Every structure is written in structure tokens, then in C-alpha cells.
Amino acid sequence: MKVPTMEVIMSAHPQDVYKDAGECVLFVYLRFNRQDQAAELDAFRDFADTSQAINRSMNIRAQGDDLRVSIGVSRNGWDYLFPGAARPQELEEFKGLVNAETPSIAMPEGIGADADLFLHIRAKREAVVYEVAEQYRLSFKDFARVVDETHGFRYLEGRAIIGFIDGTENPTGIDAPMWAEVGSEDPQFAGGSYAFAQKWIHDMDAWRSLGTHEQERAIGREQFTDLELDDEAKAPNAHNVTSKFIIDGEENKIIRMNVPFSDPASGITGTYFIGYAGRWSVTKGMLTNMVSKKDYLLTFSKVLFGQVFFVPSLDLLDEIAGGDFPSGEAE
């Protein structure tokens, strides 16, 4: 396996950036009010502290519910909070991707471009997710507003909503930190992670009309067994072909989760994709391949928005909460 950094610094205190999709899931995009930067920075520092206290309390109150939370900040949000300060090396504003030959095959710019803050909350019970989110709201309501809120769920057998097992190729065990956490290449932000959060809507009628055989060609795997198809049995633009990102002959990986959401009575069903990586460039490379190679999924799916966020380590969150970041000389 190709290690993505010269030396990996394994943080003892990363946020929850590993595969644990949860039974009940909440994704929230927030935007700062941008009325009083100093006051909003102070309020965010309080939130950085209060949110961790809320998590600790809930993990005592609901010990068996496996609460997991990640909090991230976008490039625009980071620059607003910490103007002139150092920022994570690969943190940028995601503005979408378009296939020049087929403009309909795209990941367009949307409301994701307006997001400053991102919350990913998951647990075994919806009541736990609700309680944490409500307590968070009491903390952030004075400095930020909700741009998008999406409730997801665990589908049968841990499958994506289109019926295939999710996350088969995720790195696990001792390999996971090498791909999920920032390492020695950016030591000030080691232990952090880049989260890409993207919302898709699927034409489920069109998907079902393909039939099982064609669906398997589209994904590149057998639906029931999850076994990978031989190359000649896959569609040329099968998802597990186009989404691979190869550097110097080695596949680079991320921690990915595809969370279903649906309002079935109105026929709105989709996937909230969340990918965590120690390098945003790896996730971006995968997305670029999907668009340039016309990933089969994009023929029956519409991307509503997506944005990249930096998820600080818990140690850095503590620095922010204590007013110790930014520190040192500005860039």
C-alpha cells in the first residue's frame, strides 16, 4: 500500500472520521451570520467547547447508542473566523466540476458554496441525534443559520439506497489513519481530516428499470454477494472504475459513507455522500474522474451541492475553544 505522506502522525484525538454510518444520521450545513466577526468568533469558540461537553454527556446518558459527531469548517468559514491565519494546506472552496463534452454530467456549484460550518451527527437512536442537535442549536443559533438539514438512515444490510453494499473498499484497522488523517506534511493540522459532503437525488424509477444485470454493470459488483465483477463484465464507466484514483500505479483511498435519505410519498430519494480523507486532493481526484469518465451513477442522479470542510482534531478544537488558535505569525 502506498502511504499518502512521508510520515503519518496518528493523532490520539481525531474527531469521528471513520466508517460508522449509524442507524440515524443528521447532516447540517450552516452559514455564519457575518454581522460581527469578533463576536461570532467568540461564539464559535464557545461552541467548540460546548459541543464536546454535550458529546461527553450524551455518551454517558446513552451509553449503548454509539454517538459519533464530526464538526468541520469550510475555506470561506475558516477565512472569516481566522483572517490572515494559517489554514490547512489543501482547504479550498469547491466550485463544482463539469464535463466539457457533456455538460449534463456535472457536479454543479450550489448552496454548498455558501456553507461555513458542517455537522455530521449519527447514533443508533433518532432521539439521541435529536437531543444532540437541539443542544447544539442552542449554542450556534446566535452566530449561524441553517442552510441545509438532511436526515439519513441505515438501509437494509447496510446497503446504499440503490441496493449495493456500501463501503466495501474502505481502509480499516491500522491502515485507516493513513488515509483519513492529515499527517506530517501539514504538522500544525495533523490529526485533522478533509470532509467532502455531497447531496444527490436519484431517479429511482429509471434505476429500477435497468434491471439487476445492468445495475451490476453500472456499479461493477454483484448486488447480492457484493463480489466484484470481472473487468469485461463491467460497464466501461462503472462506478468502481471511474471513482478510483491512482497515483504512481497505487490506488489512493478515502473513508466513505453513502447515507440514504428519502421522502418516499413524494418520490424524492437520494444519497448523502460523506468522504473523509487526510488529503482533499485524493477525494477531488476521485470526483474529477467520475465526471470526466461519465460515471454511470451520474446518468440517473442529480448532484444538488457539495463542499469540502476541514475537520480539526479534538486537540485543535480545544486550542480554538481556549483562544490559543490562531497562534504564531500570520501567513
Side-chain angles (χ1 to χ4, degrees), residues 5-322:
T5 59
M6 294 181 64
E7 177 186 357
V8 176
I9 300 175
M10 294 187 185
S11 169
H13 304 100
Q15 290 197 60
D16 292 312
V17 298
Y18 296 106
K19 172 71 173 176
D20 46 71
E23 302 285 333
C24 306
V25 190
L26 177 63
F27 299 102
V28 183
Y29 268 32
L30 295 147
R31 180 157 175 84
F32 297 132
N33 292 332
R34 296 176 182 265
Q35 295 176 351
D36 185 332
Q37 189 275 339
E40 289 172 34
L41 174 58
D42 285 343
F44 178 76
R45 285 171 170 158
D46 288 341
F47 174 71
D49 182 52
T50 300
S51 62
Q52 301 314 300
I54 291 169
N55 296 350
R56 291 191 297 270
S57 174
M58 186 55 64
N59 276 315
I60 295 172
R61 296 171 62 192
Q63 291 185 17
D65 283 287
D66 200 24
L67 171 67
R68 306 293 178 93
V69 179
S70 299
I71 299 170
V73 184
S74 72
R75 166 67 178 267
N76 288 340
W78 192 274
D79 289 348
Y80 177 68
L81 289 175
F82 311 116
R87 73 170 70 93
Q89 287 180 0
E90 294 196 14
L91 184 59
E92 66 175 11
E93 180 186 359
F94 181 72
K95 296 184 177 180
L97 300 166
V98 177
N99 185 303
E101 298 177 358
T102 313
S104 61
I105 305 296
M107 294 180 179
E109 181 176 2
I111 63 172
D114 294 326
D116 294 318
L117 191 62
F118 173 68
L119 308 177
H120 179 194
I121 306 171
R122 58 269 200 206
K124 291 182 179 179
R125 285 188 297 161
E126 182 66 26
V128 174
V129 173
Y130 161 77
E131 183 68 13
V132 170
E134 174 63 6
Q135 291 190 28
Y136 276 18
R137 184 188 68 82
L138 296 175
S139 182
F140 70 65
K141 66 182 178 66
D142 292 330
F143 71 89
R145 65 185 185 276
V146 174
V147 179
D148 183 80
E149 177 179 328
T150 302
H151 293 260
F153 58 91
R154 183 184 187 274
Y155 193 43
L156 301 173
E157 299 178 318
R159 295 177 183 267
I161 199 64
I162 57 174
F164 287 78
I165 298 294
D166 176 50
T168 301
E169 297 298 325
N170 271 338
T172 58
I174 62 173
D175 293 333
M178 292 189 295
W179 301 108
E181 296 181 36
V182 173
S184 61
E185 77 284 358
D186 196 4
Q188 185 174 3
F189 299 101
S193 186
Y194 294 94
F196 183 68
Q198 187 177 53
K199 190 172 182 177
W200 300 53
I201 295 290
H202 305 307
D203 184 340
M204 295 301 291
D205 292 337
W207 173 246
R208 293 188 188 97
S209 72
L210 295 178
T212 301
H213 175 70
E214 188 63 18
Q215 289 177 357
E216 291 178 341
R217 291 186 71 246
I219 300 302
R221 290 185 174 276
E222 292 183 0
Q223 189 174 74
F224 180 72
T225 66
D226 195 40
L227 294 174
E228 186 170 359
L229 298 179
D230 293 335
D231 289 344
E232 59 270 19
K234 301 176 183 178
N237 60 339
H239 180 60
N240 69 353
V241 173
T242 66
S243 62
K244 285 186 178 179
F245 184 61
I246 309 295
I247 298 179
D248 297 332
E250 297 285 345
E251 182 180 357
N252 281 228
K253 295 179 178 290
I254 65 173
I255 308 294
R256 65 180 78 197
M257 291 170 256
N258 291 293
V259 179
F261 66 90
S262 183
D263 186 358
S266 63
I268 298 174
T269 295
T271 295
Y272 207 114
F273 169 76
I274 177 73
Y276 291 103
R279 290 180 298 161
W280 157 238
S281 55
V282 173
T283 310
K284 188 177 183 180
M286 292 177 175
L287 299 170
T288 301
N289 287 346
M290 289 172 63
V291 171
S292 65
K293 298 177 180 180
K294 304 177 184 178
D295 191 303
Y296 206 134
L297 293 184
L298 290 166
T299 65
F300 65 90
S301 303
K302 177 183 179 181
V303 179
L304 298 182
F305 58 82
Q307 190 55 269
V308 58
F309 302 87
F310 181 69
V311 180
S313 69
L314 293 175
D315 300 321
L316 182 52
L317 270 185
D318 284 345
E319 288 186 30
I320 292 171

